[in-house]
Amino acid sequence: EFGWYQTTNQENGVYGHTLPLEFFEQWCQDAFGPEFTHEMMEKSIAASNIEYGGYEPSVSNVVFVHGSIDPWHAMGVLEDLHEGAPSIYITGTSHCADMYPDKSSDPEELTAARVRIGNLVKGWVENAKK
């Protein structure tokens, strides 16, 4: 149900235009049948966004962490939803950079993000014990 096509149909994409959206739509039709049209997938995406909240999910005790060079960040929550669902955007980092062990060469912003994530999770666990 969930997926994100990493297409090359951006106007100034560095990878050319060899993998447009239509390529992936045809891939779905080849794998799952002709009923997987563009219109059907658009309707399914809209239904999923309604079900799960799209860019504004109804969640708490969640931190949304994104790096500026993570290709997935475009699909993510990039601004705080509320106090219990903050977003952290780390300039110059890639996918899951915040989950790796600290290194002396890590950017200060990444190190600060890890500290903030740890404090948030610690607070949520402590509050759950009450």
Side-chain angles (χ1 to χ4, degrees):
E1 181 177 337
F2 298 102
W4 186 43
Y5 305 125
Q6 293 185 343
T7 65
T8 57
N9 59 341
Q10 296 80 16
E11 211 166 292
N12 296 315
V14 296
Y15 300 108
H17 300 285
T18 57
L19 293 172
L21 178 60
E22 295 79 16
F23 169 84
F24 291 101
E25 291 176 339
Q26 185 62 55
W27 197 12
C28 283
Q29 288 182 353
D30 292 347
F32 303 112
E35 66 272 17
F36 281 80
T37 63
H38 177 81
E39 292 75 21
M40 181 270 216
M41 288 189 264
E42 286 285 332
K43 283 178 66 173
S44 297
I45 291 164
S48 289
N49 284 334
I50 290 168
E51 177 73 21
Y52 298 105
Y55 289 115
E56 296 182 12
S58 179
V59 296
S60 61
N61 296 349
V62 174
V63 59
F64 299 95
V65 183
H66 302 285
S68 66
I69 57 174
D70 176 358
W72 303 102
H73 85 270
M75 286 184 38
V77 175
L78 300 176
E79 295 183 15
D80 296 352
L81 297 178
H82 52 79
E83 187 178 322
S87 177
I88 300 173
Y89 185 82
I90 311 166
T91 305
T93 62
S94 61
H95 188 66
C96 295
D98 58 293
M99 300 178 81
Y100 293 110
D102 291 336
K103 293 189 305 192
S104 60
S105 60
D106 286 341
E108 187 176 318
E109 193 174 344
L110 174 57
T111 302
R114 287 188 185 118
V115 170
R116 182 169 179 218
I117 294 163
N119 289 335
L120 286 164
V121 173
K122 179 182 176 190
W124 295 332
V125 171
E126 287 173 352
N127 285 336
K129 291 180 181 179
K130 294 179 184 177

